Amino acid sequence: MKGTCQFDPSSGAELGEIQYLPDGTTGREVVSDPWGVHWTAAREGALTHGEHRSSTTALTSYFRRVQREVRDGTETASLTRAASLAIRRLKRAATDELDTFVWLATAERLAEKGYWSAWMLNHHVPRCPHCHSETKFRPGVGMHEAVCASSPTQHGAVDKAIEARVRSLLEAAFDDVAFDEDDPAPLALF
């Protein structure tokens, strides 16, 4: 992911402070992550700003790290296994999907399976499904609605488009998920 939730797209490790190189380019240094799923010391010191699409390993490592932060250093093994399986299946079903939509679909899948996953909504950067820019929020009727930050007049409110993207991801990845387009059941987290 990029933005406030950025991480190393290969390992999922946290990124440190901005490093300025002599040629004028910048990047964030990858911080050592001994808890990472497949952490290798070769990634330590690499520079990146994160990516919109990361590896399955990186997204799983990010999930584990954030779960430990949210749960004060503990990790629930069954939740980690369920999330890892969901991420793997979602990434396999939609190989070119943005991390933010895979993250939301994972949260939704975990909620369907009875896990508390609402905390995941605080650990992603919402993106417009049309142009992939970040979203901003404006007051709506009884709620705040997500609006494309770069083209608010062209794309407008994107809540329904984000929800449709998550639904299509879930349908593509899981055989036991099917939504009725005429009368879709509400998603647990939307």
Side-chain angles (χ1 to χ4, degrees):
M1 278 189 229
K2 292 184 88 163
T4 56
C5 297
Q6 63 192 353
F7 57 83
D8 177 38
S10 295
S11 68
E14 198 170 355
L15 299 181
E17 298 302 314
I18 292 180
Q19 302 292 320
Y20 297 93
L21 301 177
D23 65 357
T25 60
T26 63
R28 292 186 179 271
E29 191 171 33
V30 176
V31 177
S32 176
D33 184 13
W35 291 95
V37 176
H38 294 289
W39 171 254
T40 62
R43 289 302 299 159
E44 191 168 353
L47 294 182
T48 181
H49 287 290
E51 297 290 334
H52 291 300
R53 294 169 185 88
S54 61
S55 69
T56 301
T57 298
L59 201 55
T60 302
S61 293
Y62 177 69
F63 176 87
R64 291 181 70 198
R65 181 166 42 86
V66 172
Q67 179 190 185
R68 283 191 306 274
E69 289 171 9
V70 168
R71 296 176 181 264
D72 297 322
T74 61
E75 188 174 344
T76 305
S78 63
L79 174 60
T80 301
R81 282 191 303 274
S84 178
L85 178 63
I87 291 168
R88 192 173 322 115
R89 290 186 67 184
L90 287 160
K91 287 284 217 176
R92 189 180 317 131
T95 57
D96 201 34
E97 190 56 81
L98 297 183
D99 283 348
T100 193
F101 300 116
V102 173
W103 186 259
L104 289 172
T106 301
E108 186 63 33
R109 180 67 174 180
L110 294 174
E112 287 173 9
K113 295 295 182 185
Y115 292 101
W116 174 66
S117 61
W119 60 268
M120 292 176 69
L121 299 178
N122 293 330
H123 298 280
H124 83 290
V125 177
R127 299 228 167 247
C128 173
H130 307 294
C131 68
H132 305 162
S133 71
E134 290 189 27
T135 60
K136 58 185 179 180
F137 294 90
R138 67 179 178 204
V141 179
M143 60 176 230
H144 284 79
E145 59 186 4
V147 178
C148 176
S150 8
S151 298
T153 54
Q154 184 179 4
H155 298 146
V158 293
D159 290 327
K160 296 292 182 197
I162 291 171
E163 186 176 351
R165 188 81 154 263
V166 169
R167 285 177 188 275
S168 70
L169 268 170
L170 290 167
E171 284 181 320
F174 302 102
D175 296 335
D176 62 337
V177 176
F179 295 104
D180 182 0
E181 290 182 25
D182 298 328
D183 185 27
L187 295 175
L189 297 177
F190 284 84

